[in-house]
Amino acid sequence: MRKLSMMGVMLCGALVSGCQGEDLESPSHEQPGGTGIEASVASTQQSVVSAELGAALACVETYANAGTCDPEHWDEMVETCLTYEHVELEDDVFVDAVQSGNCTAANWTALREQLIVPRTPAVRVRENCNGTSPVLQEAASNGCHTLAPTVGASFIEVPIGKTVTLHAAADCAGDSVTVENDANLCETSFGSGASANDKVRSYRIQDAEVLPSSHSYDCGPTESTCVKNYNSASRLGALNKKHTVKIVRMTLEGRNTPAMTTIRNVVGNLYDYYAVASRNQVSLDIVGTQTVAVTSSNCATAKTQARQKTTNSNAFLTVYVLPGGMCSTSNAGSRTVNLKGTLFRDYAHEVGHVLGLAHGNVRDPSTGKVKSSGDSSTYMGIFASDNYNLPQLHWLGWTKKEEIVQINSAIASNGFTEITLRPVGNNADSTSPLPMGAVWEIPGTDQRLFISVPKPRLNGTNNIEGGNVFAHRAPKCVGCTGMAMGTMQMARFGAKSVNEHEASGIFIKPVGYTSHFVQVDGKSVEVFTSVTLRVRQ
């Protein structure tokens, strides 16, 4: 679980590839092992930095030059440099650099370039089968791509939302095999049965197939209350299916690593949660387990050693579990998570990054001060939680059209609206006719405000009481890829509050609720079944 986090407003702070209007294409994780500063294969591309991002980078540089760009000074640096306002500084590349001691004066030039360079997810062809070898060629666009005659491909990286058909002849002809995940070609065969290792001459990139689903929908021109999900259909198709998972248990002499049985149980528990929250769209297939011994106690070196020793990597997700005390934090890569223990929320947090979620922050409504990763209504914070928050569930395609209601048109017509919401809970499918969320499209921005009731009742997980109302600001995220859906909690109040609460230009007031009481461990606990809100501009 991240102890450092900065996700704020997802605006086009830098003019990078993929921005559409004011929507930013969020960079994907490019360092699956979290191995410090690595030269980006895209470093030859031109990067244009806005004045605001330039100021934030210059501010961080003063910390690097002073030797204080480190975990001890993190909170001060975040608030002083406003790093949370720039997605480039929320990317795990920056977080990992600070955690690993690489945000220094000596490394700053290389780190700065790595932070601002466009990192559009691309298909990458690598030299060796373990996935850590040099990149021989990369391509981001759909279509046929031919390799040079001298290239001996042994590993293919496939971004989520794409499929790649590998061909034994140039111009995407001849013997072929299609892969949907990163593929170790030492373990991959063409349709004829011949090994694909060193035999791929060309490859075709396509969008992943999209299966029909009530959770994947369009908004018609007359559906004024419909809330469009801008996550691409191909990404939703790639995410919402059976996930093949490889588990790798790392061992080091003198340190303890959780047993494989324990790790499998936690992974199974995570996917039991996903099955409910995704409405049975996501399921689990553990395709392999492996224990690898490393010889270094250095976090980055050990991760690299483990990656080099891992076999059969053709899985949607690879879970590496680290020896105790080796690494200070867990982290995530494009299709990889590195976990320092077996805490469930760490697994949900890091795999959430792989699925495209960023961190959940909190903005104090009275001071405007941001508490990074402080939202306990989502696993994407640093506190205990029960679920992802509603904007993140919506982004993953785990809600239906009628469950999220846009309120702009109602407020424009009447000056206010009243809406009754049911609690999100574990996001299980429901026969209730009530929606789970109201959405205010914030005028003049690419942002939305999601209003929801996360929990029906208080439980032992956190201090979110039943019927509490949350307002989360989130980006529409047109064209976003990678770790994109970060949120900002703008308001939080009880169902019985008598006051109006301002959030992103609207005012929200509870005006009714329904509830009943149950006995839990000999105590009477109130369970809320609905909360009615009056919302005005």
Side-chain angles (χ1 to χ4, degrees):
M1 167 116 8
R2 286 288 174 200
K3 293 184 179 178
L4 305 180
S5 174
M6 300 159 291
M7 178 55 63
V9 184
M10 299 281 287
L11 297 175
C12 263
L15 302 178
V16 301
S17 173
C19 265
Q20 301 181 17
E22 291 186 328
D23 296 295
L24 179 64
E25 179 174 30
S26 175
S28 62
H29 295 76
E30 295 294 335
Q31 295 178 300
T35 54
I37 301 174
E38 300 173 0
S40 171
V41 295
S43 60
T44 57
Q45 301 179 45
Q46 184 180 9
S47 303
V48 182
V49 180
S50 69
E52 294 80 6
L53 176 58
L57 289 165
C59 177
V60 172
E61 184 178 8
T62 64
Y63 281 83
N65 290 337
T68 54
C69 185
D70 55 27
E72 182 180 353
H73 296 86
W74 179 263
D75 288 341
E76 175 192 327
M77 181 171 65
V78 166
E79 291 301 330
T80 302
C81 301
L82 303 179
T83 57
Y84 53 80
E85 292 189 353
H86 304 284
V87 68
E88 295 83 359
L89 298 177
E90 168 66 0
D91 191 285
D92 273 15
V93 172
F94 182 51
V95 177
D96 285 341
V98 176
Q99 286 277 31
S100 60
N102 285 315
C103 184
T104 63
N107 290 333
W108 177 250
T109 299
L111 176 59
R112 185 185 188 279
E113 177 62 20
Q114 191 177 9
L115 293 172
I116 64 175
V117 73
R119 288 189 292 276
T120 302
V123 171
R124 294 193 175 89
V125 178
R126 291 186 180 270
E127 185 175 29
N128 297 328
C129 287
N130 56 39
T132 61
S133 55
V135 174
L136 302 175
Q137 181 175 313
E138 69 170 7
S141 60
N142 286 356
C144 183
H145 304 269
T146 298
L147 295 170
T150 56
V151 170
S154 293
F155 194 94
I156 303 290
E157 287 184 14
V158 182
I160 291 175
K162 298 293 183 180
T163 63
V164 177
T165 302
L166 310 173
H167 291 268
D171 300 320
C172 295
D175 208 358
S176 66
V177 61
T178 299
V179 296
E180 298 179 344
N181 307 316
D182 293 358
N184 170 358
L185 300 190
C186 291
E187 304 288 338
T188 303
S189 299
F190 289 119
S192 67
S195 172
N197 187 37
D198 287 337
K199 300 296 190 297
V200 175
R201 299 269 55 87
S202 60
Y203 55 95
R204 181 175 297 280
I205 304 174
Q206 295 175 293
D207 290 336
E209 180 184 5
V210 182
L211 298 176
S213 168
S214 60
H215 298 83
S216 180
Y217 60 85
D218 293 319
C219 292
T222 62
E223 294 181 300
S224 61
T225 63
C226 180
V227 179
K228 183 175 175 60
N229 187 349
Y230 289 97
N231 204 350
S232 71
S234 60
R235 280 181 54 82
L236 292 176
L239 292 175
N240 292 317
K241 63 179 185 178
K242 180 176 286 186
H243 291 182
T244 53
V245 177
K246 171 75 179 284
I247 300 174
V248 181
R249 177 177 176 264
M250 296 167 54
T251 62
L252 176 66
E253 187 175 355
R255 294 182 186 268
N256 295 321
T257 305
M260 183 64 77
T261 301
T262 303
I263 299 167
R264 287 182 66 109
N265 286 340
V266 180
V267 172
N269 290 339
L270 175 65
Y271 276 85
D272 286 344
Y273 154 67
Y274 283 158
V276 174
S278 73
R279 318 292 179 71
N280 292 312
Q281 295 183 90
V282 176
S283 59
L284 170 66
D285 180 14
I286 296 179
V287 294
T289 62
Q290 185 179 357
T291 297
V292 298
V294 297
T295 59
S296 175
S297 60
N298 176 270
C299 180
T301 302
K303 289 177 183 177
T304 300
Q305 289 179 350
R307 187 77 177 269
Q308 291 170 343
K309 293 182 177 182
T310 300
T311 59
N312 190 21
S313 300
N314 301 7
F316 174 88
L317 173 71
T318 302
V319 175
Y320 288 89
V321 179
L322 315 170
M326 174 182 288
C327 301
S328 59
T329 65
S330 300
N331 80 316
S334 58
R335 290 184 181 270
T336 304
V337 292
N338 299 288
L339 296 153
K340 64 185 183 69
T342 56
L343 192 62
F344 179 87
R345 72 183 189 205
D346 282 9
Y347 282 58
H349 182 104
E350 300 306 340
V351 177
H353 279 318
V354 174
L355 300 182
L357 305 182
H359 294 128
N361 294 336
V362 175
R363 180 182 181 273
D364 187 322
S366 60
T367 66
K369 190 172 183 179
V370 172
K371 184 175 184 180
S372 57
S373 292
D375 184 7
S376 57
S377 73
T378 175
Y379 285 125
M380 302 314 294
I382 59 172
F383 301 111
S385 189
D386 304 277
N387 206 340
Y388 300 127
N389 60 35
L390 188 59
Q392 292 170 335
L393 293 170
H394 179 256
W395 177 248
L396 292 172
W398 294 358
T399 61
K400 297 178 181 178
K401 179 188 288 189
E402 65 271 15
E403 293 178 319
I404 314 289
V405 178
Q406 189 202 107
I407 57 176
N408 290 62
S409 56
I411 292 177
S413 297
N414 304 313
F416 72 95
T417 189
E418 287 191 0
I419 187 166
T420 301
L421 304 177
R422 63 179 170 90
V424 175
N426 61 4
N427 200 46
D429 215 347
S430 173
T431 58
S432 172
L434 297 177
M436 292 190 299
V439 172
W440 169 250
E441 305 276 4
I442 304 173
T445 76
D446 71 338
Q447 302 287 304
R448 292 166 158 170
L449 190 76
F450 282 74
I451 306 168
S452 66
V453 179
K455 295 171 66 167
R457 70 173 182 88
L458 181 68
N459 58 21
T461 302
N462 51 35
N463 66 348
I464 299 177
E465 295 182 356
N468 270 195
V469 179
F470 279 59
H472 291 102
R473 188 177 66 196
K476 293 179 184 176
C477 233
V478 180
C480 285
T481 58
M483 187 182 70
M485 185 46 63
T487 60
M488 185 76 72
Q489 179 189 309
M490 304 297 290
R492 171 183 175 178
F493 48 89
K496 300 177 184 179
S497 171
V498 298
N499 299 319
E500 281 192 323
H501 302 267
E502 189 275 336
S504 299
I506 58 172
F507 296 85
I508 312 163
K509 181 180 180 180
V511 293
Y513 63 88
T514 59
S515 68
H516 60 275
F517 287 85
V518 297
Q519 293 295 310
V520 179
D521 297 328
K523 297 181 180 179
S524 184
V525 177
E526 189 169 14
V527 180
F528 288 79
T529 52
S530 72
V531 178
T532 301
L533 303 168
R534 182 184 175 94
V535 186
R536 69 172 180 89
Q537 193 170 9

